[in-house]
Amino acid sequence: MSNHVFLAGASQGVGREILKGLLAQDTSVKAFLRSELIATELQTMGVETAIGDALNLEQIEQAMAGSPIDLVISTIGGKPQDGERSDYTGNKNLIDAAVKAGVKRFILVTSIGSGESVAALPLQAFEALKEVLAEKEKAEQHLIASGLTYTIIRPGGLKSEPATGNGVLTEDPKIAGTIHRADVADLVCRCLKSDRTNNKIFSAVDRTMTYSDATFEEFAV
């Protein structure tokens, strides 16, 4: 069980949903983010915050210092037009800082289409995303090689509606589909409590919204 979590990407999207889930579990969270405004908002919710840029290793190391960290969760990534993406460099910095800080476990949220799951993507989607997927795959490989206990979760296409409860993990890299961000967050929070997810790579989809009728084995978290 991880009682002290360092969360990168809590400003929005899946990361924000994960933050809600962690707080509901009474987990101690330190959120690493760039926005002072959002930091102030999170502090009113009882969240410890650290301001910095994931592209700056020193800022991450400073943020990880001074408080116990059992586990790091990262959902960070940049859109292709952002210049230098955080998908690889930012996550590499987080991984390296976690190793230096003596953190034991790291959960990385990437995307279906990374690594061997590329076969699950329609060609048009792959062509649109191939540059960012290559960055995410490099981050995954860096994490695997780091010596940290890892869990890699690759969500499918993301929706912002409320959780459905139909989110599932599978080790089958040929499965793709869509999933609500809140359901991804629920799966991540469940992984925190499960040693069975250690050193595993999963795709995350809504079981009712897969792109094909292919049957697949759901992983029991």
Side-chain angles (χ1 to χ4, degrees):
M1 182 64 186
S2 300
N3 296 318
H4 301 279
V5 174
F6 186 92
L7 175 61
S11 298
Q12 59 186 355
V14 172
R16 190 58 171 265
E17 295 295 331
I18 290 171
L19 178 62
K20 294 177 189 174
L22 293 173
L23 294 177
Q25 292 179 355
D26 290 328
T27 300
S28 170
V29 184
K30 187 171 194 176
F32 180 74
L33 60 168
R34 288 183 292 187
S35 167
E36 293 273 6
L37 189 64
I38 295 174
T40 301
E41 177 190 345
L42 297 187
Q43 288 161 11
T44 64
M45 298 162 58
V47 178
E48 185 181 0
T49 61
I51 299 295
D53 189 330
L55 297 176
N56 186 313
L57 177 59
E58 185 178 349
Q59 290 178 1
I60 298 172
E61 290 177 347
Q62 289 173 348
M64 287 190 183
S67 53
I69 302 170
D70 299 311
L71 175 139
V72 174
I73 301 173
S74 175
T75 67
I76 65 171
K79 298 180 176 64
Q81 61 266 32
D82 285 350
E84 185 177 10
R85 295 187 190 89
S86 54
D87 297 88
Y88 172 60
T89 306
N91 281 313
K92 177 183 184 297
N93 287 342
L94 285 162
I95 292 161
D96 292 345
V99 171
K100 184 175 179 179
V103 176
K104 302 302 183 193
R105 191 173 177 208
F106 198 112
I107 296 178
L108 177 63
V109 179
T110 59
S111 176
I112 288 179
S114 181
E116 69 276 22
S117 68
V118 66
L121 277 191
L123 182 60
Q124 187 175 4
F126 171 71
E127 287 297 328
L129 297 170
K130 62 182 178 181
E131 291 184 19
V132 71
L133 291 173
E135 297 281 301
K136 290 181 184 296
E137 182 175 356
K138 284 168 64 180
E140 292 180 357
Q141 292 302 317
H142 191 72
L143 176 56
I144 291 166
S146 71
L148 292 166
T149 298
Y150 66 87
T151 306
I152 294 169
I153 298 177
R154 300 167 172 164
L158 294 166
K159 296 188 172 186
S160 294
E161 289 88 349
T164 66
N166 292 320
V168 295
L169 298 176
T170 179
E171 293 184 85
D172 188 338
K174 300 183 298 297
I175 298 303
T178 54
I179 184 168
H180 293 191
R181 287 177 172 84
D183 286 310
V184 177
D186 177 62
L187 293 169
V188 170
C189 290
R190 284 159 58 188
C191 285
L192 262 69
K193 301 178 178 179
S194 173
D195 289 341
R196 297 187 66 246
T197 61
N198 288 352
N199 301 324
K200 298 276 191 181
I201 302 175
F202 301 106
S203 295
V205 295
D206 186 303
R207 64 165 65 91
T208 68
M209 295 191 289
T210 57
Y211 292 153
S212 73
D213 295 328
T215 57
F216 62 95
E217 186 174 347
E218 297 179 9
F219 186 90
V221 181

